[in-house]
Amino acid sequence: MMHLLASLACLPLAMWSVLSQAHAASLAKIPVRVVIVTTFELGNDTGDMPGEFQHWVEKLPLSEELPARGSYHEILRYNPDLHVLGIVTGEGPSHMASAMTGLVLDPRFDLRKAYFLLAGIGGINPNFGSVGSAVWAPRVINGGLAHMIDAREIPSDWPDGFAPVQGASPTLHPVPALHSQWGDMGYTLNPRLVNWAYTLTHSVTLPDAPSLQASRARYKGYPAAQKPPQVMVGDTLSSETFWVGAKMNGWAERWVKYWTDNQGQFATTAEEDIGLMQALSAQAKAGRVDINRVLILRAASNYDMPPPGESAAALLKEEADETGFSGFIPSLDAAWLVGSTVVRELALHWSSYENVTAGGD
């Protein structure tokens, strides 16, 4: 023991400082039960036109600001009573992966038992559901990694211009591995947790604004698109390219079925979800997070293809920016109403969910 103390006494002052800071950080962890992940905010976090973050800040609320230098939004927000942390990552999978990696490595937090909820808006497949709906994702499929042939040169026997990056045929079989040196093509979220979240929220009443009614009335011949908003379960396709149109929608339906062995159903479009899963999966390997405690909720702000008789270009012009989406505000409301139901359940009944994952291990 005396030899150990003597050795420690010989450590340089700088080393003592590092050890002291590390010890302090380990003692001063900010407790986190749930991390709310959003991708953008418009203007300020409060008091103006809302983005994905503002309802959480104002209504949960996330009243405390924590500096986050070097991150996209530069601040995190926290509720000290519920132990809920909120982050704005920036849009796109690269922003998402960078932000989540930085968050998990932040020495202020111990996230090993935390739940992660990505609560964002996205497009919806009119063959699946209606604008204003909130959709829990059982799977995330990568729509941004592929071989692609220009539409003017697609072979006549191809269904579309996309093929797996691992080969040269759109229907390459056997289906390549989801995870390889080529990249990550898909992730399956914890099905018990997803089912638990859906069961908890399926009866939540979602706003059915006149703008939603007018939007879905245009989709004659699409019965799913004409239903009032509801809470649903369906796969999300993650792509950094903001695509629009019936032909692209057909590709998305095929692509999801292809990578899920015909088990999946394309429901929503998104950019960031693949980046979220890549970052958290990597950190889970190091034991810093639990990948079985991740949820993705996408509320539909717009349809991904135009109604009958209208062109894809016309729809794109209508929705040239996020606030131009036909269901922008209702989708933000839906994400909050459904997402907060889950967040409050987890945070307020932490003794039930801290050591046993919601839905069962």
Side-chain angles (χ1 to χ4, degrees), residues 269-288:
T269 68
E271 291 183 77
E272 300 81 13
D273 304 14
I274 197 73
L276 174 83
M277 296 305 296
Q278 286 173 323
L280 293 182
S281 294
Q283 296 305 318
K285 293 177 182 177
R288 299 186 182 104

PDB file of all heavy atoms in Angstrom, residues 269-288:
ATOM      1  N   THR A 269     -41.288   8.260 -45.052  1.00  0.00           N
ATOM      2  CA  THR A 269     -39.980   8.694 -45.542  1.00  0.00           C
ATOM      3  C   THR A 269     -39.283   9.488 -44.446  1.00  0.00           C
ATOM      4  O   THR A 269     -39.930  10.152 -43.631  1.00  0.00           O
ATOM      5  CB  THR A 269     -40.119   9.587 -46.781  1.00  0.00           C
ATOM      6  OG1 THR A 269     -40.731  10.828 -46.402  1.00  0.00           O
ATOM      7  CG2 THR A 269     -40.985   8.929 -47.843  1.00  0.00           C
ATOM      8  N   ALA A 270     -37.979   9.431 -44.444  1.00  0.00           N
ATOM      9  CA  ALA A 270     -37.192  10.181 -43.468  1.00  0.00           C
ATOM     10  C   ALA A 270     -35.764  10.300 -43.990  1.00  0.00           C
ATOM     11  O   ALA A 270     -35.367   9.584 -44.906  1.00  0.00           O
ATOM     12  CB  ALA A 270     -37.205   9.495 -42.108  1.00  0.00           C
ATOM     13  N   GLU A 271     -35.002  11.190 -43.397  1.00  0.00           N
ATOM     14  CA  GLU A 271     -33.592  11.319 -43.739  1.00  0.00           C
ATOM     15  C   GLU A 271     -32.695  10.651 -42.703  1.00  0.00           C
ATOM     16  O   GLU A 271     -31.761   9.935 -43.035  1.00  0.00           O
ATOM     17  CB  GLU A 271     -33.206  12.797 -43.830  1.00  0.00           C
ATOM     18  CG  GLU A 271     -33.793  13.566 -44.983  1.00  0.00           C
ATOM     19  CD  GLU A 271     -33.269  14.996 -44.988  1.00  0.00           C
ATOM     20  OE1 GLU A 271     -32.115  15.192 -45.413  1.00  0.00           O
ATOM     21  OE2 GLU A 271     -33.999  15.900 -44.541  1.00  0.00           O
ATOM     22  N   GLU A 272     -32.956  10.907 -41.425  1.00  0.00           N
ATOM     23  CA  GLU A 272     -31.936  10.724 -40.394  1.00  0.00           C
ATOM     24  C   GLU A 272     -31.904   9.360 -39.732  1.00  0.00           C
ATOM     25  O   GLU A 272     -30.948   9.039 -39.015  1.00  0.00           O
ATOM     26  CB  GLU A 272     -32.147  11.779 -39.296  1.00  0.00           C
ATOM     27  CG  GLU A 272     -32.045  13.211 -39.761  1.00  0.00           C
ATOM     28  CD  GLU A 272     -33.308  13.747 -40.425  1.00  0.00           C
ATOM     29  OE1 GLU A 272     -34.362  13.069 -40.309  1.00  0.00           O
ATOM     30  OE2 GLU A 272     -33.244  14.809 -41.049  1.00  0.00           O
ATOM     31  N   ASP A 273     -32.928   8.539 -39.932  1.00  0.00           N
ATOM     32  CA  ASP A 273     -33.109   7.356 -39.092  1.00  0.00           C
ATOM     33  C   ASP A 273     -31.967   6.347 -39.227  1.00  0.00           C
ATOM     34  O   ASP A 273     -31.589   5.689 -38.261  1.00  0.00           O
ATOM     35  CB  ASP A 273     -34.450   6.698 -39.405  1.00  0.00           C
ATOM     36  CG  ASP A 273     -35.609   7.667 -39.242  1.00  0.00           C
ATOM     37  OD1 ASP A 273     -35.354   8.880 -39.159  1.00  0.00           O
ATOM     38  OD2 ASP A 273     -36.759   7.228 -39.220  1.00  0.00           O
ATOM     39  N   ILE A 274     -31.415   6.222 -40.429  1.00  0.00           N
ATOM     40  CA  ILE A 274     -30.307   5.286 -40.610  1.00  0.00           C
ATOM     41  C   ILE A 274     -29.079   5.768 -39.848  1.00  0.00           C
ATOM     42  O   ILE A 274     -28.336   4.978 -39.258  1.00  0.00           O
ATOM     43  CB  ILE A 274     -29.996   5.066 -42.115  1.00  0.00           C
ATOM     44  CG1 ILE A 274     -29.155   3.804 -42.314  1.00  0.00           C
ATOM     45  CG2 ILE A 274     -29.333   6.281 -42.733  1.00  0.00           C
ATOM     46  CD1 ILE A 274     -29.922   2.525 -42.129  1.00  0.00           C
ATOM     47  N   GLY A 275     -28.862   7.094 -39.808  1.00  0.00           N
ATOM     48  CA  GLY A 275     -27.744   7.647 -39.057  1.00  0.00           C
ATOM     49  C   GLY A 275     -27.899   7.436 -37.559  1.00  0.00           C
ATOM     50  O   GLY A 275     -26.925   7.167 -36.849  1.00  0.00           O
ATOM     51  N   LEU A 276     -29.128   7.569 -37.071  1.00  0.00           N
ATOM     52  CA  LEU A 276     -29.402   7.303 -35.656  1.00  0.00           C
ATOM     53  C   LEU A 276     -29.035   5.876 -35.293  1.00  0.00           C
ATOM     54  O   LEU A 276     -28.320   5.620 -34.318  1.00  0.00           O
ATOM     55  CB  LEU A 276     -30.877   7.554 -35.355  1.00  0.00           C
ATOM     56  CG  LEU A 276     -31.333   7.171 -33.952  1.00  0.00           C
ATOM     57  CD1 LEU A 276     -31.010   8.283 -32.966  1.00  0.00           C
ATOM     58  CD2 LEU A 276     -32.825   6.858 -33.908  1.00  0.00           C
ATOM     59  N   MET A 277     -29.505   4.925 -36.094  1.00  0.00           N
ATOM     60  CA  MET A 277     -29.275   3.515 -35.780  1.00  0.00           C
ATOM     61  C   MET A 277     -27.812   3.129 -35.931  1.00  0.00           C
ATOM     62  O   MET A 277     -27.291   2.315 -35.158  1.00  0.00           O
ATOM     63  CB  MET A 277     -30.164   2.647 -36.659  1.00  0.00           C
ATOM     64  CG  MET A 277     -31.658   2.837 -36.425  1.00  0.00           C
ATOM     65  SD  MET A 277     -32.158   2.604 -34.694  1.00  0.00           S
ATOM     66  CE  MET A 277     -31.745   0.873 -34.450  1.00  0.00           C
ATOM     67  N   GLN A 278     -27.142   3.702 -36.914  1.00  0.00           N
ATOM     68  CA  GLN A 278     -25.715   3.410 -37.071  1.00  0.00           C
ATOM     69  C   GLN A 278     -24.925   3.899 -35.865  1.00  0.00           C
ATOM     70  O   GLN A 278     -24.093   3.164 -35.316  1.00  0.00           O
ATOM     71  CB  GLN A 278     -25.191   4.057 -38.355  1.00  0.00           C
ATOM     72  CG  GLN A 278     -25.629   3.345 -39.619  1.00  0.00           C
ATOM     73  CD  GLN A 278     -25.236   4.100 -40.876  1.00  0.00           C
ATOM     74  OE1 GLN A 278     -25.262   5.320 -40.908  1.00  0.00           O
ATOM     75  NE2 GLN A 278     -24.891   3.365 -41.927  1.00  0.00           N
ATOM     76  N   ALA A 279     -25.175   5.124 -35.443  1.00  0.00           N
ATOM     77  CA  ALA A 279     -24.426   5.693 -34.325  1.00  0.00           C
ATOM     78  C   ALA A 279     -24.700   4.946 -33.025  1.00  0.00           C
ATOM     79  O   ALA A 279     -23.766   4.591 -32.284  1.00  0.00           O
ATOM     80  CB  ALA A 279     -24.769   7.174 -34.166  1.00  0.00           C
ATOM     81  N   LEU A 280     -25.972   4.702 -32.719  1.00  0.00           N
ATOM     82  CA  LEU A 280     -26.304   4.041 -31.458  1.00  0.00           C
ATOM     83  C   LEU A 280     -25.887   2.583 -31.462  1.00  0.00           C
ATOM     84  O   LEU A 280     -25.489   2.036 -30.424  1.00  0.00           O
ATOM     85  CB  LEU A 280     -27.794   4.186 -31.168  1.00  0.00           C
ATOM     86  CG  LEU A 280     -28.267   5.609 -30.872  1.00  0.00           C
ATOM     87  CD1 LEU A 280     -29.755   5.622 -30.540  1.00  0.00           C
ATOM     88  CD2 LEU A 280     -27.464   6.239 -29.731  1.00  0.00           C
ATOM     89  N   SER A 281     -25.957   1.922 -32.610  1.00  0.00           N
ATOM     90  CA  SER A 281     -25.504   0.527 -32.687  1.00  0.00           C
ATOM     91  C   SER A 281     -24.012   0.429 -32.404  1.00  0.00           C
ATOM     92  O   SER A 281     -23.548  -0.488 -31.709  1.00  0.00           O
ATOM     93  CB  SER A 281     -25.817  -0.073 -34.057  1.00  0.00           C
ATOM     94  OG  SER A 281     -27.207  -0.184 -34.260  1.00  0.00           O
ATOM     95  N   ALA A 282     -23.243   1.379 -32.936  1.00  0.00           N
ATOM     96  CA  ALA A 282     -21.804   1.377 -32.685  1.00  0.00           C
ATOM     97  C   ALA A 282     -21.506   1.599 -31.208  1.00  0.00           C
ATOM     98  O   ALA A 282     -20.659   0.917 -30.615  1.00  0.00           O
ATOM     99  CB  ALA A 282     -21.133   2.459 -33.536  1.00  0.00           C
ATOM    100  N   GLN A 283     -22.211   2.550 -30.592  1.00  0.00           N
ATOM    101  CA  GLN A 283     -21.977   2.826 -29.180  1.00  0.00           C
ATOM    102  C   GLN A 283     -22.488   1.706 -28.281  1.00  0.00           C
ATOM    103  O   GLN A 283     -21.963   1.481 -27.188  1.00  0.00           O
ATOM    104  CB  GLN A 283     -22.615   4.165 -28.796  1.00  0.00           C
ATOM    105  CG  GLN A 283     -22.007   5.358 -29.498  1.00  0.00           C
ATOM    106  CD  GLN A 283     -20.506   5.457 -29.296  1.00  0.00           C
ATOM    107  OE1 GLN A 283     -19.998   5.234 -28.190  1.00  0.00           O
ATOM    108  NE2 GLN A 283     -19.796   5.772 -30.369  1.00  0.00           N
ATOM    109  N   ALA A 284     -23.507   0.994 -28.746  1.00  0.00           N
ATOM    110  CA  ALA A 284     -24.011  -0.152 -27.974  1.00  0.00           C
ATOM    111  C   ALA A 284     -22.957  -1.247 -27.874  1.00  0.00           C
ATOM    112  O   ALA A 284     -22.867  -1.960 -26.865  1.00  0.00           O
ATOM    113  CB  ALA A 284     -25.285  -0.695 -28.615  1.00  0.00           C
ATOM    114  N   LYS A 285     -22.142  -1.395 -28.921  1.00  0.00           N
ATOM    115  CA  LYS A 285     -21.078  -2.401 -28.888  1.00  0.00           C
ATOM    116  C   LYS A 285     -20.069  -2.104 -27.787  1.00  0.00           C
ATOM    117  O   LYS A 285     -19.426  -3.008 -27.263  1.00  0.00           O
ATOM    118  CB  LYS A 285     -20.373  -2.455 -30.247  1.00  0.00           C
ATOM    119  CG  LYS A 285     -21.243  -2.983 -31.370  1.00  0.00           C
ATOM    120  CD  LYS A 285     -20.506  -2.945 -32.709  1.00  0.00           C
ATOM    121  CE  LYS A 285     -21.391  -3.429 -33.839  1.00  0.00           C
ATOM    122  NZ  LYS A 285     -20.718  -3.335 -35.168  1.00  0.00           N
ATOM    123  N   ALA A 286     -19.930  -0.835 -27.451  1.00  0.00           N
ATOM    124  CA  ALA A 286     -19.019  -0.433 -26.378  1.00  0.00           C
ATOM    125  C   ALA A 286     -19.711  -0.391 -25.022  1.00  0.00           C
ATOM    126  O   ALA A 286     -19.092  -0.007 -24.025  1.00  0.00           O
ATOM    127  CB  ALA A 286     -18.419   0.937 -26.698  1.00  0.00           C
ATOM    128  N   GLY A 287     -21.006  -0.745 -24.983  1.00  0.00           N
ATOM    129  CA  GLY A 287     -21.743  -0.781 -23.729  1.00  0.00           C
ATOM    130  C   GLY A 287     -22.193   0.568 -23.222  1.00  0.00           C
ATOM    131  O   GLY A 287     -22.593   0.700 -22.056  1.00  0.00           O
ATOM    132  N   ARG A 288     -22.170   1.596 -24.086  1.00  0.00           N
ATOM    133  CA  ARG A 288     -22.536   2.943 -23.635  1.00  0.00           C
ATOM    134  C   ARG A 288     -24.023   3.221 -23.734  1.00  0.00           C
ATOM    135  O   ARG A 288     -24.522   4.142 -23.097  1.00  0.00           O
ATOM    136  CB  ARG A 288     -21.755   3.989 -24.444  1.00  0.00           C
ATOM    137  CG  ARG A 288     -20.247   3.872 -24.286  1.00  0.00           C
ATOM    138  CD  ARG A 288     -19.521   5.012 -24.994  1.00  0.00           C
ATOM    139  NE  ARG A 288     -18.077   4.855 -24.863  1.00  0.00           N
ATOM    140  CZ  ARG A 288     -17.272   4.415 -25.844  1.00  0.00           C
ATOM    141  NH1 ARG A 288     -17.806   4.129 -27.035  1.00  0.00           N
ATOM    142  NH2 ARG A 288     -15.990   4.298 -25.646  1.00  0.00           N
TER     143      ARG A 288
END
